[in-house]
Amino acid sequence: MFLRVLLLSLWCWGVLCAWVLSAENNSSAESYSLRLVGGASRCEGEGEFQRPGLNWTTVGPFDMTLGFGARLCSVLDCGTVLSVGRNTGLEREVVMGYPHCEQTALIQCFRTGYRSGSSLQLQCSDSVRLVSGSGLCSGSVQIWDGSWTEVCDGDLDQRGAEVLCRELGCGAPSLLQGALSPLGQTFHCEGHESALMDCPRSNSSTCSSGATVHLTCSEPIRLVGGATRCAGTVEVKLRGEWRRVIRKYGSWDQEDTVAVCRDLDCGSAVYGREKDDFPHSPVWLVSSDCVKESSVRGCVSGSHSSSSVVEVVCSELLNRPIISVSVSDGASELQPQGVRVQLGSKFRVKCSVEPQYPGGSFRLLSPAAPPAQNRTLFAVNHSAHFLFSDADHTHKGNYTCVYLLQVFNHSFSSQSHTLQLSVGESDSDLIIRVVVILLLKLLYILPMSYCYCKVRTRAALERGPSSE
């Protein structure tokens, strides 16, 4: 009896605790409202925040990033965030938003008791969005038709993808999955439209499970002034304008450099620094606390005038070298899988690279020697030549050029495609050999045939005419 009472008490206590926690969570998650006012649509304008029973209060723009703006757009049931800015006016009471707050409930990210003459200006797309992607510029495509609906496989072609990426403030489409059919698409874009919903539309079939369009647009970030796209001064495009970026607080660090190289798909971070050697001009301020989980563009939290620039070098710095084979004597033939050189001939493997940096060296990886003996030559006029004589079957196999260079006291390398080389006789030699063999056989067969016929004839004469 005592055990039954104890178990019943514990069960009641658990139910009560669960009810209290649920009530607290619902209260914190539901006890606020958010809206945008003064804009062209419900998804554009000045931010306002309201707690139950209180008046609407203007949202201040403190440290608002594009990534946090995306969170607000989602709460408003709008599309992808397009811009986050500020509007200056009369000083008034505001609530401040803190984008990097740790609480999951958005209400915990707003704090009261502030006065400011600035307010948050937020613009979200109201008719299209990308959801469940790795960043602001990737995800499954959805359109607004009274509710958010997915775009089906085959409903969007390349020109439609270009319009959509441009509408969302992203770069060109870099990956379009499930939308390769040029016929039967719902959206018939010509490519010059400013929004996807401006394109002529036709009816589409209902999407089957998983048959939706997933789009990845390139991040609007670039490195300028360097020898390749993976080295130079960092610039980000926001609201149609390219600007340099600098860190909002503190100095540029390795995590910031890692984020830049990641967004550019340029490999790992090698080098990054901020320096003052540029005329004062507008720059984008990056809130570095968020770059671990967002793109550099998603961490932009305002603008400023500065003479600072950020230089970044990523590991994929060098152009890919080119490998080719030529024969000084004998012959070579192009094969579907590579090159075939004639047995016993002298051949040359050339490693070259498009002019980019002076100096450097080339290492040839070949099957003709163990790895420790693979040869390295200094680059002369951006190329090196590796000579081989008396080609035999030990020379057949895969050949690869590796370009080596020192930049900013760091070692870089880039590897060519693999070239497969085979060693054998040429087709003409094979034909000659076959002809010679056939002639020799004929020279052997003809005398034998002559002798055989002569013996048969003599035997027939000796027997004489046959009698009836």
Side-chain angles (χ1 to χ4, degrees), residues 182-195:
L183 301 175
Q185 67 265 22
T186 298
F187 297 93
H188 305 274
C189 301
E190 297 182 4
H192 58 77
E193 295 86 355
S194 59

Side-chain angles (χ1 to χ4, degrees), residues 57-60 92-96 111-116 118:
T57 307
T58 301
V59 177
R92 52 191 159 172
E93 182 181 351
V94 298
V95 294
M96 287 294 188
R111 302 178 186 177
T112 60
Y114 294 88
R115 294 186 62 84
S116 174
S118 299

